[in-house]
Amino acid sequence: MDRYVVFGNPIAHSKSPVLHRLFAEQTGHSMQYETLLAPLEDFAGCALSFFKQGHGANVTVPFKEDAYRLATRLSPRAQRAGAVNTLSKQPDGSLLGDNTDGAGLVRDLTVNAGFSLKGKRILILGAGGAVRGALEPILAEGPTSVTIANRTVEKAEQLAELFSDLGPVAASGFDWLHEPVDLIINATSASLAGELPPIASSLIEPGQTLCYDMMYGKEPTPFCVWATEHGAGHVMDGLGMLAEQAAEAFYLWRGVRPDTAPALAELRRLLAL
């Protein structure tokens, strides 16, 4: 049976095994998918050992940049992102590194939520790896503007410069922003600490703005609660992004794209327990 894993540290909490089991059942594929706790100081050794038999792997925090360095070759989107979340063993034994995070986010917004990014004013909060992975697919959708806001403005400026050839992208501090936008994506880790990014509620156009938190949990995240309280037109957490990036990885490995809707519904049910 073909073996797949998700590498991380910590990793026991991962929902990936559930998703890939559901995808395999749905598509009639026989595969084994497990979590693998990689040592912080030796991701490469752990991964190379797995790939002696293994077929593919997802990679999560804190190893996406290690996976980028380990890959024999990179997809264009992984190259842009500077990070790899999906490794595939090729017929010659080499490792192809890809990044499905941004594609998962865009698909959740455009397909699951039916929200077109074309011509939209988009604000992204944070300037870490998650943003770097999301910028290329977002800019490919043709938004009017993308603003990256971060506590350390220099970090946002570096990202904006790096992706400026792909579309209208600018940098900002959190407190410089007051005009309403069409989409706010929270890519900071504030929700994990039960906190909010320090942004003005005037950024939300009541009944119109879509607010999206890349984080998710049993309860709505602080950002989602804030967005609802200030009249956002639509509020989403990142569970759909998780399902869509997993489906993209499954497609890369198995050549078939699973339907995420039933898997996402089951994930929501399990999360609520």
Side-chain angles (χ1 to χ4, degrees):
M1 191 184 290
D2 294 349
R3 282 191 66 210
Y4 298 86
V5 294
V6 54
F7 290 108
N9 190 328
I11 196 60
H13 65 285
S14 175
K15 305 289 184 290
S16 293
V18 176
L19 278 168
H20 285 282
R21 175 178 57 77
L22 292 167
F23 292 161
E25 286 170 3
Q26 182 195 115
T27 57
H29 281 235
S30 177
M31 59 186 277
Q32 182 185 348
Y33 188 109
E34 299 166 328
T35 58
L36 209 165
L37 181 71
L40 292 172
E41 66 288 346
D42 190 24
F43 167 78
C46 183
L48 290 172
S49 174
F50 165 76
F51 275 110
K52 285 174 184 171
Q53 281 88 36
H55 283 70
N58 288 129
V59 183
T60 188
V61 177
F63 298 122
K64 292 183 185 183
E65 287 176 9
D66 296 90
Y68 176 87
R69 289 189 289 271
L70 180 71
T72 318
R73 61 189 181 89
L74 299 161
S75 71
R77 59 189 178 184
Q79 222 156 355
R80 270 281 182 183
V84 160
N85 80 331
T86 305
L87 289 165
S88 309
K89 187 160 82 171
Q90 303 301 289
D92 64 358
S94 65
L95 291 179
L96 172 66
D98 204 343
N99 190 309
T100 66
D101 284 330
L105 168 67
V106 167
R107 198 171 166 84
D108 194 29
L109 285 164
T110 58
V111 178
N112 297 343
F115 185 84
S116 170
L117 303 184
K118 190 169 178 59
K120 297 294 196 294
R121 299 158 298 172
I122 299 173
L123 170 61
I124 304 177
L125 310 175
V131 177
R132 192 168 161 155
L135 279 169
E136 183 184 18
I138 286 173
L139 288 163
E141 296 291 311
T144 294
S145 64
V146 174
T147 303
I148 305 164
N150 198 51
R151 280 182 205 277
T152 313
V153 182
E154 291 76 20
K155 211 172 168 194
E157 285 171 342
Q158 285 167 5
L159 268 190
E161 199 175 319
L162 206 58
F163 286 85
S164 60
D165 61 314
L166 299 181
V169 55
S172 175
F174 285 130
D175 51 356
W176 306 355
L177 302 160
H178 301 284
E179 295 296 312
V181 293
D182 301 303
L183 170 63
I184 305 173
I185 299 171
N186 180 27
T188 71
S189 55
S191 289
L192 291 176
E195 295 167 2
L196 272 173
I199 56 169
S201 58
S202 59
L203 290 162
I204 293 177
E205 197 167 318
Q208 297 297 319
T209 302
L210 190 156
C211 289
Y212 190 104
D213 197 339
M214 283 190 181
M215 302 294 163
Y216 62 88
K218 187 172 182 175
E219 304 295 331
T221 67
F223 176 77
C224 288
V225 171
W226 171 84
T228 302
E229 285 172 351
H230 289 95
H234 197 37
V235 178
M236 298 173 70
D237 68 12
L239 200 65
M241 176 182 173
L242 177 77
E244 294 298 340
Q245 65 78 27
E248 183 81 2
F250 190 93
Y251 173 72
L252 290 171
W253 295 329
R254 313 295 298 183
V256 59
R257 184 181 294 282
D259 177 9
T260 53
L264 193 49
E266 175 62 5
L267 216 51
R268 285 259 176 239
R269 188 188 71 78
L270 293 172
L271 205 59
L273 294 177

